[in-house]
Amino acid sequence: PAGQPVVIIMDPSLIRGSHAGGMGRYDGGQRRTGTTAAAARGLVPTFGRSAAQDEALMPALQSSALETTPGNGRSADERRQLLRALEKGSRPSQSRPQDPQVHMQSVGAMVAVPWVMFVIAIFATALMPPTALARIAAWLAVVLGIGFSLLLIQVYVHARAPIYKYLGILGIAATSLGGMAGSTIFDRETLQYWMAQSRISYKAVVPSQPAGGISDAATLEFVPGTRVDLRRSFGFRDPREGGGTTYCLAPVMDIASTETNEVRFWAVGTDCCEPSWGFRCGAARSPSARSGLVVRDVTSSAHASIVHSMFREGVDQASAMYQLSTPEEDPIFVRWCEDATVEVSQKLGIAIVSAFVLCLLYLALSVFLAGWLHWRTGQKRQDWQQAQPTLGSFAPRLA
């Protein structure tokens, strides 16, 4: 009848922006609808339905209406409040259930895209050589990954498709974690390999002779009779780190240096000794070992600089404890081993294996996160659909 309100509810999944949930009225026998031509142009394709199918549904959508009368138990203010809540809330598509294949594609994308970004970030930052150009290229890959993720979030802002939001957030997390993990592997393993490739190896080194001429060494092979003095080992912890890592040192000596108590070379390691005994770093307990991989202070690596400075501090404490003299301003620290050349080559292998294992772990994490986000989105959609009966006669009805 003329003058009685009629509310038209549009399928919210078909209309974008402020046109979603549009409504119209009959007023005095004259029909006015809340749908405009701009709203029709704002169609957004959804999973399982193309834009052409959306266009075909528009006549049925615009002609669908549900008459409400004052006898339905709700006042006009209550109906308006319900419609505002519906317009502001999340509106999953009700026109048809999504194809299970589409669900699998969405989950696959949320697994594969962040994982590939993690792989690129970790291998770029972990394995690239320490040259300025190579490190810039490595971190540029990380920046591009974060930029791509931000672009996906921007797409979500306009399209309101949750998958773009999830891909953007997961991409930022994957790229950031990959960059940090790769940087750690580089500092602890790969840097030693690349430094050894660019420096000289010395043989027949005498521990009691001045070490100034071999300060640029990558590896050292000492003369027979050289040994690590296990009786005068020293271990300590940095109180600034909260007592986590134990830094271990023991003098490398021959017969001549034993008589003079002068130490120019120190075998070092971490978490491989007690405070004043039990030095077991590297091959220190092997009687045939007499090679060392030089531990250097690399200003471009925060980890290498910290470790070297801690060893330097340990030399002062060990010298005072055992009444040793260190004639060199900068004593040389070595990781004692059977064959320094083999030790160097293993550094790169350890870095590759570490990165590969972390990639597998992140793949498992990516599968879990994608499945959880997909389940959470479906649960929210289900909760919204179950809440529709509370709207009573306002539930949409499409042809």
Side-chain angles (χ1 to χ4, degrees):
Q4 294 296 326
V6 175
V7 179
I8 302 174
I9 302 180
M10 302 302 178
D11 181 0
S13 67
L14 296 177
I15 301 176
R16 179 177 61 192
S18 62
H19 304 293
M23 58 184 177
R25 299 174 64 94
Y26 278 104
D27 189 6
Q30 186 111 23
R31 179 176 179 175
R32 301 199 311 268
T33 65
T35 306
T36 64
R41 289 194 299 270
L43 293 174
V44 179
T46 61
F47 290 114
R49 185 170 61 228
S50 65
Q53 291 172 324
D54 286 339
E55 292 288 351
L57 284 174
M58 276 303 296
L61 176 66
Q62 292 176 339
S63 64
S64 62
L66 183 64
E67 295 189 4
T68 61
T69 62
N72 63 357
R74 292 187 179 89
S75 66
D77 290 337
E78 291 174 335
R79 293 196 294 271
R80 280 193 291 269
Q81 290 176 359
L82 287 172
L83 289 173
R84 286 196 204 97
L86 179 64
E87 185 176 6
K88 292 180 180 179
S90 174
R91 308 176 182 84
S93 175
Q94 302 175 25
S95 59
R96 68 175 66 178
Q98 294 182 358
D99 189 345
Q101 184 177 1
V102 175
H103 288 283
M104 294 303 299
Q105 291 174 353
S106 301
V107 174
M110 287 192 291
V111 171
V113 174
W115 183 71
V116 170
M117 297 171 70
F118 178 86
V119 171
I120 294 175
I122 191 172
F123 275 98
T125 53
L127 302 181
M128 295 288 279
T131 61
L133 184 61
R135 300 315 297 173
I136 291 175
W139 286 106
L140 181 61
V142 176
V143 172
L144 289 177
I146 295 177
F148 177 71
S149 302
L150 293 175
L151 180 62
L152 290 174
I153 295 177
Q154 186 68 22
V155 172
Y156 162 74
V157 171
H158 293 282
R160 310 305 298 179
I163 188 173
Y164 294 112
K165 176 179 70 174
Y166 297 149
L167 286 175
I169 295 174
L170 293 175
I172 292 175
T175 308
S176 302
L177 290 175
M180 290 187 292
S183 179
T184 301
I185 295 173
F186 176 81
D187 283 345
R188 296 178 181 272
E189 305 294 344
T190 318
L191 182 62
Q192 288 282 346
Y193 170 80
W194 289 115
M195 294 295 291
Q197 298 300 312
S198 60
R199 293 184 179 271
I200 305 173
S201 297
Y202 290 90
K203 296 184 178 182
V205 177
V206 181
S208 56
Q209 297 297 319
I214 56 176
S215 58
D216 59 343
T219 62
L220 300 175
E221 183 178 337
F222 294 91
V223 296
T226 303
R227 61 182 178 83
V228 177
D229 191 349
L230 302 178
R231 299 172 303 171
R232 291 189 272 193
S233 64
F234 180 76
F236 72 104
R237 295 179 179 179
D238 184 8
R240 294 167 294 184
E241 294 181 356
T245 303
T246 301
Y247 298 91
C248 305
L249 307 92
V252 177
M253 310 183 77
D254 58 6
I255 297 177
S257 57
T258 303
E259 295 175 352
T260 60
N261 281 337
E262 292 184 351
V263 182
R264 295 177 171 85
F265 301 89
W266 293 81
V268 296
T270 55
D271 297 325
C272 49
C273 71
E274 302 302 326
S276 59
W277 61 278
F279 188 87
R280 56 189 181 276
C281 304
R285 294 181 178 271
S286 173
S288 61
R290 50 187 179 90
S291 297
L293 177 63
V294 178
V295 177
R296 311 199 62 83
D297 181 10
V298 183
T299 57
S300 60
S301 171
H303 177 263
S305 297
I306 292 173
V307 170
H308 190 274
S309 64
M310 295 307 299
F311 287 147
R312 188 68 183 86
E313 182 178 334
V315 167
D316 297 335
Q317 299 184 40
S319 299
M321 179 176 179
Y322 295 112
Q323 297 182 352
L324 301 173
S325 63
T326 54
E328 305 292 339
E329 292 184 2
D330 293 314
I332 295 180
F333 304 113
V334 297
R335 298 190 184 274
W336 203 250
C337 53
E338 296 277 357
D339 190 335
T341 304
V342 174
E343 190 80 10
V344 168
S345 61
Q346 288 178 348
K347 290 291 184 181
L348 182 61
I350 293 173
I352 294 175
V353 171
S354 300
F356 183 74
V357 170
L358 288 177
C359 287
L360 292 180
L361 292 176
Y362 193 84
L363 178 60
L365 177 62
S366 187
V367 171
F368 169 78
L369 291 176
W372 181 78
L373 289 173
H374 181 72
W375 171 82
R376 182 173 176 270
T377 303
Q379 196 72 18
K380 290 177 65 176
R381 183 185 294 111
Q382 184 179 0
D383 293 343
W384 186 87
Q385 290 173 349
Q386 291 176 351
Q388 283 193 59
T390 62
L391 298 178
S393 60
F394 286 90
R397 189 169 62 199
L398 295 179

